[in-house]
């Protein structure tokens, strides 16, 4: 009997047409589409495990998922066949052999997200950015974003009734980048809570529009109460962009 091997799959997707990453009843998900493709190509009931769970409409410029396979894998041929079979809004970039205990979610050491704003409508980015028809004060938003780096507990930005054991996250980046008519908010941490980035962006927007002060960010975080933070920003502007792992996981 052939020994089962584990692989990391690197991929990207436009989340517009999917009810998030995770497989769920009565709704199409990215995970389900890839599972179905692997089952068809490898003739084995394969279930991939993603590095995280993006919500409905959220995109991933870079996602990692692991899976097991008991046969001999022709990686280049599998990537080619999968990309021909799956919808064009999902792309498989690479498949790499890893240690048998490697876990796409639990062994990730750092994750990065971007939130894309447009300062004018763009017909080519209808579902890939959030259009700001009235420009907020980005200087105030930058000041408020820097406050995030002073804290570890982000329960105030977490989805309520979540099953996580801790709300602690080690943020190492929270900054804005300005490119012509686009503004990109970059945020990096060892882990993120469900809905955390969209809640942060929504709160920053309220500060940028003068509905809250920069200093209120301290009170919001200290409250540990989701109702004290701003409304979640639209899913369309959010991208998972980077996931890092220890080198020793790869064969």
């Amino acid at each position: 009997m052939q020994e089962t091997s584990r692989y990391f799959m690197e991929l990207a997707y436009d989340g517009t047409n999917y009810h998030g990453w995770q497989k769920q009843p009565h709704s199409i998900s990215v995970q389900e589409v890839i599972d179905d493709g692997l089952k068809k190509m490898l003739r084995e009931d394969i279930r991939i495990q993603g590095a995280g769970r993006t919500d409905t409409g959220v995109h991933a410029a870079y996602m990692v998922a692991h899976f097991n396979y008991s046969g001999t894998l022709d990686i280049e041929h599998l990537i080619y066949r999968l990309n021909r079979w799956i919808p064009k809004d999902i792309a498989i970039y690479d498949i790499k052999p890893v240690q048998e205990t490697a876990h796409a979610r639990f062994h990730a050491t750092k994750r990065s997200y971007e939130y894309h704003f447009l300062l004018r409508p763009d017909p080519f980015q209808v579902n890939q950015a959030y259009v700001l028809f009235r420009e907020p004060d980005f200087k105030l938003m930058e000041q408020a974003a820097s406050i995030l780096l002073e804290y570890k507990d982000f329960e105030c930005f977490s989805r309520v009734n979540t099953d996580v054991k801790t709300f602690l996250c080690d943020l190492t980046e929270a900054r804005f980048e300005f490119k012509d008519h686009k503004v990109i908010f970059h945020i990096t941490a060892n882990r993120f809570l469900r809905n955390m980035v969209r809640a942060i962006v929504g709160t920053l927007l309220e500060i940028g529009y003068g509905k809250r002060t920069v200093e209120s960010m301290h009170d919001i975080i200290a409250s540990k109460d989701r109702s004290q933070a701003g409304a979640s920003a639209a899913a369309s502007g959010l991208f998972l962009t980077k996931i890092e792992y220890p080198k020793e996981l790869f064969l």
Side-chain angles (χ1 to χ4, degrees):
M1 185 174 180
Q2 187 161 351
E3 187 175 335
T4 298
S5 299
R6 177 159 292 189
Y7 299 88
F8 270 14
M9 174 186 288
E10 299 176 348
L11 65 143
Y13 54 86
D14 181 319
T16 304
N17 296 321
Y18 301 96
H19 289 264
W21 163 267
Q22 187 166 312
K23 185 179 292 188
Q24 51 190 295
H26 314 303
S27 298
I28 189 68
S29 69
V30 178
Q31 182 184 31
E32 179 181 357
V33 169
I34 298 173
D35 279 354
D36 289 347
L38 286 171
K39 183 176 182 179
K40 183 178 180 66
M41 304 300 159
L42 301 178
R43 301 185 182 280
E44 191 171 306
D45 189 14
I46 305 242
R47 296 172 184 264
I48 59 174
Q49 170 70 58
R53 297 179 293 182
T54 55
D55 292 333
T56 300
V58 174
H59 317 293
Y62 182 79
M63 169 64 93
V64 177
H66 74 251
F67 67 93
N68 295 334
Y69 180 56
S70 60
T72 300
L73 197 62
D74 183 337
I75 291 177
E76 186 175 341
H77 187 55
L78 177 60
I79 293 172
Y80 169 79
R81 292 181 67 204
L82 276 175
N83 281 324
R84 290 289 301 272
W85 187 83
I86 60 178
K88 296 186 184 303
D89 51 8
I90 302 175
I92 310 302
Y93 290 152
D94 203 357
I95 296 174
K96 299 175 179 178
V98 293
Q99 301 286 350
E100 63 179 16
T101 57
H103 198 289
R105 178 183 174 191
F106 297 133
H107 284 145
T109 58
K110 188 179 292 186
R111 297 168 171 84
S112 296
Y113 282 87
E114 293 178 3
Y115 194 92
H116 292 208
F117 300 99
L118 289 175
L119 302 182
R120 69 180 185 189
D122 184 339
F124 302 106
Q125 298 186 66
V126 174
N127 297 309
Q128 290 78 35
Y130 179 53
V131 181
L132 299 173
F133 291 98
R134 182 166 62 92
E135 187 171 338
D137 189 330
F138 281 107
K139 289 185 178 180
L140 294 179
M141 293 172 69
E142 286 182 304
Q143 293 172 30
S146 67
I147 292 174
L148 296 168
L149 301 176
E150 301 175 20
Y151 292 88
K152 301 289 186 183
D153 190 321
F154 295 100
E155 184 173 358
C156 66
F157 297 122
S158 173
R159 179 171 293 175
V160 296
N161 300 321
T162 184
D163 58 358
V164 298
K165 297 179 180 179
T166 176
F167 296 96
L168 300 181
C169 306
D170 183 16
L171 260 66
T172 54
E173 178 186 45
R175 64 179 179 86
F176 286 88
E177 177 186 6
F178 301 87
K179 300 171 63 175
D180 297 325
H181 297 285
K182 174 176 279 190
V183 179
I184 303 173
F185 175 60
H186 298 266
I187 187 165
T188 299
N190 65 325
R191 63 188 291 264
F192 286 91
L193 306 168
R194 292 290 303 278
N195 199 56
M196 178 174 165
V197 180
R198 291 170 60 196
I200 286 174
V201 172
T203 304
L204 291 174
L205 279 173
E206 291 189 6
I207 291 171
Y209 284 128
K211 297 178 180 179
R212 302 172 185 261
T213 64
V214 171
E215 292 72 24
S216 70
M217 184 65 82
H218 292 287
D219 297 327
I220 294 168
I221 297 174
S223 74
K224 299 185 180 183
D225 182 352
R226 177 66 185 89
S227 67
Q228 298 301 308
S232 296
S236 59
L238 185 59
F239 291 77
L240 174 62
T241 58
K242 189 174 183 180
I243 308 168
E244 297 183 23
Y245 295 93
K247 292 181 179 178
E248 55 266 26
L249 292 183
F250 299 89
L251 299 178

